[in-house]
Amino acid sequence: MAATDVDVSVSEGMRTLSLGGHVGFDSLPDQLVSKSVSQGFCFNILCVGETGIGKSTLMNTLFNTTFENEEASHYLDKVLLRPRTYDLQESNVQLKLTIVDTVGFGDQVNKEESYKPIVDYIDTQFENYLQEELKIKRSLFNYHDTRIHVCLYFIAPTGHSLKSLDLVTMKKLDSKVNIIPIIAKADTISKSELHKFKIKVMSELVSNGVQIYQFPTEDEAIAEINSSMNAHLPFAVVGSSEEVKVGNKMVRARQYPWGAVQVENESHCDFVRLREMLIRVNMEDLREQTHARHYELYRRCKLEEMGFKDTDPDNEPFSLQETYEAKRKEFLSDLQRKEEDMRQMFVNRVKETEAELKEKERELHDRFELLKRTHQEEKRNVEEKRRDLEEDMNSFNRRKVAAETLQGQAFQAASQLSIKKDKDKKNFFTLPSACSLTAGRNLN
């Protein structure tokens, strides 16, 4: 290459050169597109809204298909997050779509902590990605990224104002996810009421400091359309998977006795605007914002909690090795201190237990001595009663023997008396004088 073919412009630490011919690195965008298409894409949508507000119907309408759906109950005692992942393909582009539904949101009597399961779920996905990123052997190339890229927040079409639950939930989520507010079932209120409701919603969001996702206007190619669409927020949408014949063609619409609300008619609702902004224009920006803004914020806070910083107190570059060594020493010293505390606590507990055991042993000994004395006294009492009983038995036996002797003597005496009487009587009847006397008495 000749020196005259090279223009050198010296700037601060950088030189800009002009090429003398075609090199070929202008094909990098095509290479990137080809690689991205071969890898496929992932997109994760979080649908937040009350049960029955039309979340599943809108998802079916957005992607022109029918996803799995289970009827949710209004009587759940807590909010459950139900993620479902689907593989979609359009032309030669593959999309791994994850739809996360908030089952039971807003159905509880006490709604103060309804947002916590949602925040915990988002943080869990960030934590999973961070753990994968911090591994020595990482596999981010084929890692299934489950971080939430956009939150479609469904607002009930009350026509009055936002509920306190909506404001609190969106305020808790705005630093963790891209929020796009949506007025669901927009065909239930009139156009004038809908326009006033939109203004009221945006006014309340601004006054409460809720940061919703703004479509980017830095790229000149999409700056105009994004700027105009920012003015339509929140989108008032109607979802339907049914086709109705309007004129000579079949369109997706909701049929009513007074007419049909066409889903893809911009004069009826903002569904087309939502689909354009969410899928066809800003899907990649939502993915980038999730990684570069929300995930980076979570990652920075997590690493700062762990003691990692970009600079030390002297504003010198921070060494990861030094930080690791310092944290390791701090951890070891903290571990040693905890071991000493636990050892001391164990010794104290042992001493306390020994003292308690000695006290219980003393109490048991005292109780044993008391029982022993009581036993001895009772034994003496029993011996005395036994002796008394033996004396009573001996006295009884003596009386019994004496009674039996007297009874025997009396019986013997009675027997002898009876024998004597019988003998006397016999002798009496055998005497002659007795017989004569008896005969004379009979004659008289």
Side-chain angles (χ1 to χ4, degrees):
M1 182 182 297
T4 56
D5 295 335
V6 180
D7 295 332
V8 180
S9 62
V10 181
S11 60
E12 297 179 359
M14 183 181 295
R15 295 186 302 169
T16 302
L17 306 178
S18 61
L19 304 177
H22 181 263
V23 176
F25 58 79
D26 58 348
S27 65
L28 274 175
D30 297 332
Q31 298 176 37
L32 182 61
V33 170
S34 177
K35 184 177 181 180
S36 298
V37 170
S38 64
Q39 292 177 357
F41 302 89
C42 70
F43 193 64
N44 306 318
I45 302 176
L46 172 64
C47 298
V48 181
E50 299 173 357
T51 304
I53 204 170
K55 302 186 292 295
S56 301
T57 303
L58 182 63
M59 290 298 102
N60 294 339
T61 311
L62 268 176
F63 292 93
N64 199 18
T65 186
T66 302
F67 298 112
E68 297 178 7
N69 184 35
E70 296 180 4
E71 291 294 332
S73 171
H74 287 272
Y75 304 102
L76 296 178
D77 57 353
K78 62 180 180 179
V79 180
L80 303 176
L81 277 84
R82 181 187 297 160
R84 297 184 185 275
T85 302
Y86 309 92
D87 288 324
L88 308 179
Q89 183 169 352
E90 187 176 30
S91 299
N92 63 336
V93 178
Q94 293 183 344
L95 177 67
K96 187 182 292 292
L97 176 68
T98 299
I99 300 176
V100 184
D101 189 13
T102 53
V103 182
F105 180 79
D107 290 338
Q108 294 75 34
V109 175
N110 184 2
K111 302 178 177 63
E112 291 182 359
E113 298 184 354
S114 296
Y115 66 89
K116 286 189 176 181
I118 304 174
V119 173
D120 293 342
Y121 179 84
I122 296 174
D123 287 342
T124 301
Q125 311 317 308
F126 284 154
E127 182 64 25
N128 293 340
Y129 191 87
L130 179 61
Q131 292 299 325
E132 182 66 27
E133 197 176 48
L134 294 177
K135 286 181 180 179
I136 296 176
K137 187 177 180 180
R138 301 186 296 181
S139 57
L140 294 175
F141 174 80
N142 56 358
Y143 175 75
H144 180 205
D145 186 5
T146 57
R147 295 174 298 176
I148 300 299
H149 298 125
V150 63
C151 170
L152 298 181
Y153 196 95
F154 289 74
I155 301 172
T158 60
H160 302 292
S161 61
L162 286 172
K163 299 178 181 179
S164 58
L165 174 62
D166 298 330
L167 288 173
V168 171
T169 304
M170 282 192 276
K171 184 63 179 176
K172 295 293 183 180
L173 296 179
D174 63 358
S175 62
K176 299 179 179 295
V177 68
N178 303 309
I179 299 177
I180 298 180
I182 294 174
I183 300 176
K185 297 183 178 181
D187 54 337
T188 59
I189 56 178
S190 64
K191 283 191 174 182
S192 59
E193 291 176 340
L194 182 60
H195 179 70
K196 294 178 182 178
F197 189 45
K198 281 188 173 185
I199 296 174
K200 180 68 173 176
V201 168
M202 291 304 297
S203 174
E204 290 185 349
L205 292 177
V206 172
S207 62
N208 287 276
V210 178
Q211 300 293 326
I212 63 173
Y213 175 75
Q214 295 291 320
F215 303 116
T217 56
E218 292 81 8
D219 189 353
E220 294 181 358
I222 58 175
E224 183 177 355
I225 183 174
N226 280 349
S227 179
S228 64
M229 289 302 161
N230 283 329
H232 283 86
L233 290 172
F235 292 127
V237 298
V238 176
S240 176
S241 56
E242 300 178 359
E243 290 191 347
V244 177
K245 187 174 183 180
V246 177
N248 296 325
K249 60 180 181 179
M250 300 295 292
V251 297
R252 285 185 296 176
R254 300 187 70 88
Q255 184 69 52
Y256 294 100
W258 45 263
V261 178
Q262 300 177 32
V263 172
E264 299 184 10
N265 190 331
E266 295 188 21
S267 63
H268 290 184
C269 67
D270 296 331
F271 172 79
V272 174
R273 298 186 179 94
L274 173 64
R275 184 180 61 189
E276 290 288 328
M277 293 297 98
L278 180 64
I279 300 175
R280 302 183 180 180
V281 178
N282 298 300
M283 179 180 283
E284 181 58 27
D285 183 73
L286 289 167
R287 287 157 42 90
E288 290 179 357
Q289 284 290 322
T290 298
H291 182 77
R293 179 187 170 194
H294 301 295
Y295 171 69
E296 283 300 319
L297 177 61
Y298 177 86
R299 176 178 174 274
R300 184 174 73 246
C301 294
K302 253 322 191 186
L303 293 179
E304 287 178 352
E305 288 179 5
M306 297 168 61
F308 294 98
K309 299 179 181 178
D310 292 332
T311 58
D312 58 15
D314 298 329
N315 291 327
E316 295 295 330
F318 206 70
S319 172
L320 185 62
Q321 181 67 24
E322 294 177 358
T323 303
Y324 170 75
E325 292 295 335
K327 295 299 291 183
R328 183 173 181 275
K329 291 180 180 178
E330 181 182 351
F331 173 76
L332 292 176
S333 62
D334 186 55
L335 181 62
Q336 185 177 3
R337 180 181 57 80
K338 288 183 179 179
E339 288 180 352
E340 291 294 333
D341 293 343
M342 292 191 67
R343 186 178 295 108
Q344 186 64 34
M345 184 184 300
F346 176 75
V347 171
N348 294 337
R349 291 294 298 273
V350 168
K351 291 181 178 179
E352 292 176 359
T353 305
E354 287 179 350
E356 291 177 359
L357 291 175
K358 288 181 179 179
E359 180 65 23
K360 289 182 179 179
E361 183 181 4
R362 186 184 61 78
E363 292 177 357
L364 288 173
H365 186 268
D366 295 342
R367 188 176 180 184
F368 172 75
E369 292 295 331
L370 177 61
L371 290 174
K372 186 177 180 181
R373 289 193 300 270
T374 304
H375 175 70
Q376 291 176 352
E377 292 177 359
E378 290 179 351
K379 186 176 180 181
R380 286 195 297 269
N381 294 334
V382 170
E383 288 294 331
E384 292 177 358
K385 289 181 179 180
R386 186 178 64 83
R387 287 194 297 269
D388 295 341
L389 182 60
E390 288 179 352
E391 292 178 358
D392 292 342
M393 290 177 64
N394 293 332
S395 175
F396 174 78
N397 290 330
R398 288 194 298 270
R399 291 195 300 271
K400 180 180 178 183
V401 170
E404 288 178 349
T405 303
L406 292 175
Q407 185 178 4
Q409 292 176 355
F411 179 76
Q412 185 177 3
S415 298
Q416 291 177 357
L417 181 61
S418 177
I419 292 172
K420 185 179 180 181
K421 286 182 178 181
D422 290 339
K423 185 184 286 187
D424 294 341
K425 186 176 180 179
K426 185 177 180 181
N427 293 330
F428 176 77
F429 284 107
T430 55
L431 290 177
S433 57
C435 295
S436 305
L437 182 61
T438 304
R441 286 178 181 176
N442 290 333
L443 291 175
N444 293 329

